[in-house]
Amino acid sequence: MQRFFRMSMISFKALLGWLDPKMYVIYKIIDPALQMIFYTLLVRFVYVAEDITPWILGNAFLLCTKNAVFAVGRMLRNDRDQGTLQLIVASPANRLYVFLARVGFNIFDASFTVIIGLIIGVLFFGLDFTGTNLFAFALSILVAMIGGLSIGLVLGSIALVISEIHLFLNVTNMVLYILTGASFSRERLPAFLHLLSEIIPITRSIDASRIIVAEGNLASAMQLLGVDLLISTIYILIGFALYAYFEYKARVYATLDAY
């Protein structure tokens, strides 16, 4: 376990180690805070409602996309662009172990970003956690971050064979805002999009957090988190399968160094 966390920390530093303290504060605190304020004010204007707690929670949870989509999504592609993918492929270490270890620390960093969003909700929009089961709420954040990073692993594997990576990641980011129900009810989606939203991690974690804060049925919230965790596990396995497949194709066609 110690080796797992050490590998995760090294990988995290490789992703964000280029940030000096000033840039880190801008990227990880100020930018998420401004994003949170913008989307919350937009929702308040659209719904003309006093209680916008569900939408504050949804938008706070989606702040994890900075880690899940943009950081983890670029992780494997960066390995290829910087010429270090060969070292990972040649390593005798278990591929799945390395695959998972490289995003472990991002779960905690993404959770920190969500907490920043929740603090903004408390300070500026009256988000109230009175009577909330804080352990269950923290669990909903953790499951949501695992879900977000499982999406990032799938994106990172696909990014190995896509040239316009930033366009792909930005489109995916906007799709998450539409399909997770963060800023509006998923019931408003067309039938096929609503069906698609059901198989996206984070969606049920957001729903569970809303139930927990509203002091609703805790068992129902835990059930939603369990389903979300299961879907996240499937996404992780899909991401690993794609990674293994693209590695195999690169070996066959000698394209591992083609970037």
Side-chain angles (χ1 to χ4, degrees):
M1 186 58 70
Q2 183 179 0
R3 182 183 176 189
F4 180 91
F5 280 106
R6 185 171 65 251
M7 185 183 300
S8 182
M9 173 62 80
I10 292 172
S11 181
F12 177 76
K13 287 182 177 179
L15 281 174
L16 297 175
W18 56 273
L19 293 173
D20 60 33
K22 179 179 67 176
M23 286 300 298
Y24 185 86
V25 169
I26 292 173
Y27 181 72
K28 298 296 296 182
I29 298 179
I30 296 179
D31 184 52
L34 293 176
Q35 181 178 320
M36 184 70 186
I37 292 171
F38 170 77
Y39 280 109
T40 305
L41 288 175
L42 180 63
V43 167
R44 172 173 284 179
F45 173 78
V46 170
Y47 286 96
V48 194
E50 288 298 323
D51 184 15
I52 54 173
T53 296
W55 318 120
I56 295 175
L57 295 172
N59 282 294
F61 273 53
L62 276 196
L63 292 176
C64 76
T65 56
K66 285 203 170 295
N67 287 77
V69 175
F70 295 105
V72 176
R74 290 196 311 263
M75 180 179 66
L76 299 179
R77 181 56 183 257
N78 287 347
D79 288 333
R80 187 174 186 178
D81 292 346
Q82 296 166 9
T84 56
L85 184 60
Q86 304 95 309
L87 301 177
I88 297 172
V89 170
S91 170
N94 182 280
R95 292 281 188 279
L96 183 58
Y97 176 87
V98 174
F99 195 72
L100 294 176
R102 300 193 65 199
V103 301
F105 202 82
N106 283 277
I107 293 174
F108 302 104
D109 188 58
S111 299
F112 170 73
T113 306
V114 172
I115 291 171
I116 293 296
L118 294 173
I119 291 173
I120 294 298
V122 171
L123 295 178
F124 290 89
F125 302 104
L127 182 62
D128 187 7
F129 287 103
T130 303
T132 299
N133 186 321
L134 294 181
F135 174 78
F137 186 75
L139 185 62
S140 71
I141 294 177
L142 179 62
V143 173
M145 298 309 98
I146 294 173
L149 293 168
S150 71
I151 296 173
L153 288 173
V154 174
L155 297 178
S157 298
I158 297 174
L160 287 171
V161 293
I162 290 180
S163 58
E164 297 297 334
I165 176 62
H166 294 290
L167 176 62
F168 174 65
L169 295 180
N170 276 287
V171 169
T172 303
N173 186 41
M174 290 301 101
V175 167
L176 289 178
Y177 270 92
I178 294 171
L179 296 184
T180 56
S183 297
F184 60 90
S185 174
R186 290 189 294 123
E187 280 64 35
R188 299 188 179 194
L189 293 170
F192 75 98
L193 287 180
H194 185 275
L195 181 62
L196 184 60
S197 73
E198 291 290 329
I199 59 172
I200 293 181
I202 306 179
T203 300
R204 289 176 178 80
S205 295
I206 291 175
D207 291 341
S209 71
R210 290 167 174 170
I211 292 173
I212 294 168
V213 171
E215 300 181 60
N217 189 327
L218 191 59
S220 175
M222 292 299 105
Q223 183 178 10
L224 289 172
L225 294 179
V227 174
D228 224 15
L229 194 57
L230 176 61
I231 295 175
S232 300
T233 302
I234 294 173
Y235 268 68
I236 290 172
L237 294 177
I238 290 173
F240 179 69
L242 288 172
Y243 175 74
Y245 173 74
F246 292 139
E247 178 189 325
Y248 166 75
K249 298 296 286 186
R251 288 177 183 272
V252 170
Y253 293 103
T255 56
L256 192 61
D257 292 322
Y259 51 83

